[in-house]
Amino acid sequence: MTAAFYVSAAIAVLSTVMAITRADAVHALLYLVVSLLAAASIFYVLGAPFAAVLEVIIYAGAIMVLFVFVVMMLNLGQAATIQERSWIKPRMWIGPAALMAVLMAEVAYVLWASRKGNFAGANVIEAEQVGIAFFGPYLLAVELASMLLLAGLVAACHLGRGDERK
Amino acid sequence: MLALLWLTPALPLLGFVILFATAGRLPASAVAAVGVGSVGLSAVIALIITASFLTTPPEGDFYRQVLWRWIAIGSFNPEVAFRLDPLSLVMMLVITFVGFLIHLYSSEFMAGDEGYSRFFASMNLFVAAMLILVLADDLLLLYAGWEGVGLCSYLLIGFWYRDPANGAAARKAFIVTRIGDTAMVVGLILLFTRLGTLAIPELMERAPQAWPAGSATATAAAALLLGGALGKSAQIPLQTWLPDAMAGPTPVSALIHAATMVTAGVYLIARTHVLFELAPAIQLAVAAIGAATLLLAAFSALNQHDFKRILAYSTISQIGYMFLALGAGAWTAAIFHFMTHAFFKALLFLAAGAVMMCIGDEHDIFRMGGLWRRLPLAFASFLIGAASLAALPLVTAGFYSKDMILWGAWTSGRGGPALWAAGLIGALVTAIYIFRAVFVVFFGEMQIAARSRYGWRIAVPLGVLSVLALGGGFVETPAALGHVEAFSRLLEAVLPTQREVAAAPATQATVMAIASFAALAGVFIAYLVYLRRVRAATILDTSAVQRLHRFWLAGWGFDWLYDRVLVRPFLWFAQLNRDDAVDAVYDGVAFSSRVSHAYLSRTQTGRVRWYAGWLVAGSLAAIAIAVFA
Amino acid sequence: MAGIPLSHGLLVAVVLFALGLVGVLARRNLVFMLMSIEIMLNAAGLAFIAGGARWAQPDGQIMFILVLTLAAAEVSVGLALILALYHRLETLDADAADKLKG
């Protein structure tokens, strides 16, 4: 199981790196799906099977399908890929990479201090426990999440209708 | 009946509110009805109150009417209360009655003016403010009236505001009197902090207990109140606004700058006479200022060409007489002269206004002449007013009041004969200058077309005031002439009678005879010089005399002096201070914010990734502080 | 079952988060930026799961589900915005929408 974690982690990191560096949107999306599936297996290893299933269904399934759908609607062809290549210059990565390095350093410092005696994934938390907690103490959060989704729905509808005045 | 007292100021105030609120939308007849009627009703009520007060005097010879408590802060509880005693009774009667006559006159004089309604609104407000001033039981309320009077004066002097010169005159009046008002406010604060009240009766009671005669505090308080009186009453050194105030319509000059407002200072001093008696130095200063002012203004009046400016200087001079009387301790004489002066000076102004109306608004007396035939009524009333002003003996009101002042000056302990001499010379010059005006305007060759066109509303006030200017003096006559003492007996409850100097009636008669002779001599000199044009009069054309003439014409150069000493340095300093160091600080703030704006706005690229990058950098910095600190 | 050291789980989450961050900052194409944001959200979810697993409590997964909800709502609105922007500007260049420039 431990090996599975590290393999999945490596796949997740590598596929994410590929995803953010691709010029073709569809390629990037496919790498992203791989990254999400790897994350799902990490969840499973960490003893959260319910979350792993949701990751596959909703993230890798529904959300990524949305992306594919939009890429299709935009009808980006070869020209867009060439345009994208011209935007990806080595110079552009310097700043973000520096920021990333600082972030990593800070987090590594914190994690180094607490590296001992903390182990995760020893117990499996089933969907039942998650559901009981969800509709028990977190009921208000569920309600809020429903409102958020409704707002997202309304906003997407409104924006998707386009400019009717045209 | 005394309970009607509050109506006397309230009615003109109501008239003001009506006229002000309708803002000229009422027809002229309604405006006249409201404007004149309110003051007329007020005068009727004043008469009723007077009758009631005289027939059944209230206890203690005063009536106090509390309307409401104005402010309540700790021990400071001024009330809006009116106090009717003989002094305020006289003032109220004169203000409402003369005010009513002037309003009646104005209703015709101002007919057709586009500001007809505005004029009556201001005039009504003026009467209301003046009544509040004289009826106030509290120095704070008195001060409210005092400022109201100043405001109306400003509004009415600048009534024809389209001409910038009139606006300048209005501002001058306002600013110059403001200097005095400031002194007065400081005086009020001093009185309140030291004596703990501003109610006049309590003040007059506590002051002698708190301060010995001649103490520094009493002197300071009296001096500060005197400052206020000097400004309002146009006495040296704050007299320069009054001649310019003639920019207003003639009835305004009659009402404000002759009959009532300028006497506010006299009233204030008479009202707070206890304070002035505690400060002999200041009381002497009052007398000296009065004497100096009356001489200076009389000589200026002698050299004016403008009909109204003659009367303006004459007003300053006559108020100088009142101050002389106040300073000499002849309180009753001052108030007596106030009353007769209100009659004859209003008469003079109204008659002069009628004359100028009939000759197309010409002001220069040397372009008039021979008008007596054409304008007999104006001539007769002006002549009566002039006679009263010159104090022609026996038949005029001015004679009795001026004689009382001169006698008071003669017998007063301080400076007696010197003050008397100043008053006497003043009387001589007064007679000369006013009869110079009479002879130049009404006699000699006719130089200008005149058409008599005044109706009853002008004629009636002239007639009534003529009667008063002649007969108003018989309420108080000297011992040698009937010895009527109605006026001083009325006032003795409020104002102390003068310390009687043991003088034989013969002396008094002699003094009176000298004064009468001076007045008659003045008339005669005016006759010789300005009508007969005797040979000796050519001396007036020599260059030295001409230079003196110009000097006096300019009012002894006070305007010039103030311009050089005060106005110009102030303007210079203001100019200098335009770009001062403090400004530099504020400019620096503006400059630095502009510069930082220029730099900071460059960070606003409009690119969402740029913003996100800085967001991340900031978050990382915050995390770094949390982790490493 | 010994499990995984918590720090390793968190490290993976942070690496993924940082990669997403780099993507947001470095890419000009709005679609890629949105994808990178998804990566960041997913990384946050991973951190919650790891934390929940450490204490053997369901709360971590609950937080993950909430993050998932948020991501779903965000993506729907974000993609709609991208479409609207593309219709208006005829490009997916994020730097082209710079009307807020000071």
Side-chain angles (χ1 to χ4, degrees), chain B residues 389-471:
Chain B
L389 171 63
L392 292 191
L394 302 181
V395 291
T396 63
F399 168 72
Y400 294 103
S401 60
K402 200 175 279 184
D403 177 69
M404 198 167 160
I405 288 177
L406 290 176
W407 177 239
W410 174 263
T411 55
S412 82
R414 297 177 280 271
L419 294 178
W420 175 78
L424 190 68
I425 296 168
L428 175 70
V429 180
T430 304
I432 297 176
Y433 73 68
I434 195 62
F435 274 89
R436 164 179 175 264
V438 170
F439 291 134
V440 170
V441 171
F442 292 102
F443 293 93
E445 281 175 34
M446 184 106 113
Q447 294 188 33
I448 195 163
R451 199 160 51 83
S452 166
R453 52 195 183 98
Y454 33 74
W456 68 272
R457 285 181 297 179
I458 282 182
V460 166
L462 288 180
V464 174
L465 284 172
S466 297
V467 172
L468 287 171
L470 288 180

Side-chain angles (χ1 to χ4, degrees), chain B residues 138-169:
Chain B
D138 191 288
L139 277 180
L140 199 66
L141 187 60
L142 185 147
Y143 185 72
W146 185 274
E147 289 298 340
V149 163
L151 167 71
C152 296
S153 160
Y154 170 79
L155 292 176
L156 287 165
I157 294 169
F159 180 73
W160 287 314
Y161 57 89
R162 298 241 161 91
D163 184 351
N166 294 345

Side-chain angles (χ1 to χ4, degrees), chain B residues 601 604-607 609 613 616, chain C residues 25-28 95 97 101-102:
Chain B
S601 73
Q604 300 293 308
T605 56
R607 296 178 181 181
R609 294 187 303 147
V616 170
Chain C
L25 296 183
R27 303 299 297 252
R28 282 172 77 171
D95 291 358
K101 188 172 178 175

